[in-house]
Amino acid sequence: MASFSSSFVLSQNLFFFSLFCFFLLASADLSATFYASSCPKALSTIQTTVKAAVAKEKRMGASLLRLHFHDCFVNACDASILLDDTSSFTGEKTATPNAGSLRGYEVIDTIKSQVESVCPNVVSCADIIAVAARHSVVTLGGPSWTVQLGRRDSTTASLSAANSDIPGPTLSLSDLISAFSKKGLNAKEMVALSGAHTIGQASCATFRTRIYNDTNIDSDFATSLQSKCPSTGSDDNLSPLDKTSPTYFDVSYYRNLIIDEGLLHSDQELFNGGSTDSQVEKYWSSSTTFFTDFSNAMVKMGNISPLTGSNGEIRTNCRKTNS
Ligand code: HEM
Ligand SMILES: *[C@@H]1O[C@H](CO)[C@@H](O)[C@H](O)[C@H]1NC(C)=O
């Protein structure tokens, strides 16, 4: 009896040990030191160009951060977002959430050509986007985090997944929660990641209904936006997502929500008498908590289904597949 139970415990331990090894190996796919010997200058090269691009135009920091989000939410963080359309291939750039508003492609091209000149065919476009997003946040005064590396680039893209999987500005809280949950991110991480809207701009078409028809909006705030965003036309006119400090990565986005000054309908959903109100208040009162949670959630978002090993490829030109 004793020998039966001890061998049972042993095999049970072995089972859990192999399970542990499996997860260790699976999560060891990406690593912070992936380019340490193959391209030691990769990170500094990316950082220098991001810094220059953001110095030239601060909004570019926001645009590069959004690029990473829109890349990761469509299948994987695999640079599928960067593939241009050809006569036989339709990419993601013309999908509704991207067309006319997603930007930063030229900055990624510049970074890629500089990285190729120091170490050709080594650094993926997907990793470049992830590092550029991190450095954009740092340059605009936000937190830093360790970017996990070793993603490879896709050989395909999906217009339909871009249309279905990137959340839109008219979503309700429960639809936002399920859009993120589909990507393995919980409601808390969704609220933290939405803090990215402390920087950058949105076009009139994305918040028109909110400023004319929503009732949970400060009326002076709504009126102030209406001259630049008439009820018809001027779809591309821009307004800051955080009117207080649109080029500074801070907690004022959450403050705006508390005073009913979220720009997008989806932003205000995070503070509208629902389950996420208290988290919005928490982030407004503690930038340390927000910075920690945002950083951790960015690492998690950056880990959505990466292509590793011999999957995918290292694109030479981020805009097209190698063959
Ligand atoms: C929670 C769901 C989200 C929705 C519904 C949403 C929606 C939008 C919309 C409609 C815009 C304006 C686009 C335009 O001008 O047409 C925008 C901009 C932006 N989004 Fe989001 N977003 C969400 C989450 C995120 C996340 C998770 C990030 C990054 C971690 C992010 C980063 C940004 C940034 C930085 C901008 C400004 C880009 C620029 O100025 O170029 N968003 N978002
Ligand atoms: C506001 O709501 C009314 C009534 O539903 C609708 O006719 C109008 O188009 C809406 N306006 C905007 C800007 O969405």
Side-chain angles (χ1 to χ4, degrees):
M1 186 66 191
S3 87
F4 167 77
S5 68
S6 70
S7 78
F8 175 72
V9 167
L10 187 71
S11 66
Q12 209 182 24
N13 281 344
L14 265 173
F15 171 76
F16 283 114
F17 181 70
S18 8
L19 208 66
F20 172 75
C21 290
F22 173 78
F23 281 112
L24 203 67
L25 282 172
S27 68
D29 279 342
L30 297 185
S31 109
T33 54
F34 191 80
Y35 298 115
S37 57
S38 60
C39 190
K41 287 189 174 157
L43 294 192
S44 60
T45 306
I46 300 168
Q47 280 164 22
T48 304
T49 310
V50 168
K51 210 173 159 190
V54 177
K56 197 169 144 211
E57 188 211 6
K58 290 204 165 171
R59 183 185 174 201
M60 190 51 73
S63 305
L64 292 171
L65 174 57
R66 185 171 184 234
L67 200 57
H68 186 40
F69 167 50
H70 286 208
D71 183 31
C72 292
F73 263 55
V74 183
N75 295 325
C77 310
D78 59 2
S80 57
I81 185 65
L82 300 178
L83 293 174
D84 280 340
D85 292 353
T86 67
S87 54
S88 59
F89 174 87
T90 308
E92 296 163 15
K93 292 180 176 177
T94 54
T96 307
N98 299 331
S101 76
L102 201 66
R103 50 205 296 284
Y105 304 121
E106 294 77 12
V107 174
I108 300 293
D109 289 339
T110 305
I111 297 172
K112 177 65 173 174
S113 66
Q114 280 160 356
V115 169
E116 287 301 284
S117 69
V118 290
C119 9
N121 305 316
V122 171
V123 182
S124 70
C125 301
D127 280 347
I128 288 175
I129 300 175
V131 175
R134 189 271 313 267
H135 213 64
S136 292
V137 171
V138 171
T139 306
L140 296 176
S144 189
W145 59 91
T146 303
V147 181
Q148 297 295 311
L149 301 164
R151 300 169 190 80
R152 290 165 64 85
D153 300 324
S154 72
T155 52
T156 56
S158 174
L159 177 70
S160 62
N163 277 320
S164 63
D165 289 9
I166 299 171
T170 59
L171 292 195
S172 65
L173 179 60
S174 65
D175 287 343
L176 289 166
I177 291 172
S178 50
F180 277 69
S181 147
K182 265 172 74 182
K183 304 294 163 183
L185 297 162
N186 62 32
K188 187 179 168 192
E189 289 157 342
M190 186 275 287
V191 175
L193 288 169
S194 296
H197 289 177
T198 180
I199 53 174
Q201 306 276 324
S203 40
C204 167
T206 66
F207 59 83
R208 175 179 285 124
T209 307
R210 167 147 176 80
I211 64 173
Y212 288 95
N213 278 356
D214 273 4
T215 50
N216 58 353
I217 186 169
D218 177 87
S219 61
D220 290 339
F221 176 66
T223 310
S224 73
L225 291 162
Q226 289 171 355
S227 57
K228 263 179 82 185
C229 186
S231 55
T232 53
S234 307
D235 281 9
D236 298 332
N237 280 3
L238 297 172
S239 284
L241 283 154
D242 165 17
K243 71 165 191 185
T244 321
S245 50
T247 59
Y248 196 69
F249 198 98
D250 59 13
V251 295
S252 52
Y253 165 79
Y254 296 107
R255 161 77 180 156
N256 297 335
L257 302 185
I258 291 167
I259 58 173
D260 284 347
E261 295 192 2
L263 183 65
L264 305 178
H265 173 85
S266 51
D267 290 328
Q268 196 60 56
E269 282 289 298
L270 307 186
F271 190 87
N272 192 36
S275 58
T276 52
D277 282 20
S278 59
Q279 199 186 338
V280 168
E281 282 165 338
K282 174 80 188 160
Y283 288 159
W284 156 239
S285 68
S286 170
S287 63
T288 312
T289 309
F290 168 51
F291 279 13
T292 303
D293 289 0
F294 182 81
S295 299
N296 290 335
M298 284 298 292
V299 172
K300 199 164 163 191
M301 183 179 88
N303 204 18
I304 297 176
S305 321
L307 296 170
T308 54
S310 57
N311 294 320
E313 61 183 20
I314 304 297
R315 269 180 229 152
T316 308
N317 174 342
C318 292
R319 291 177 180 265
K320 48 186 197 196
T321 58
N322 290 342
S323 49

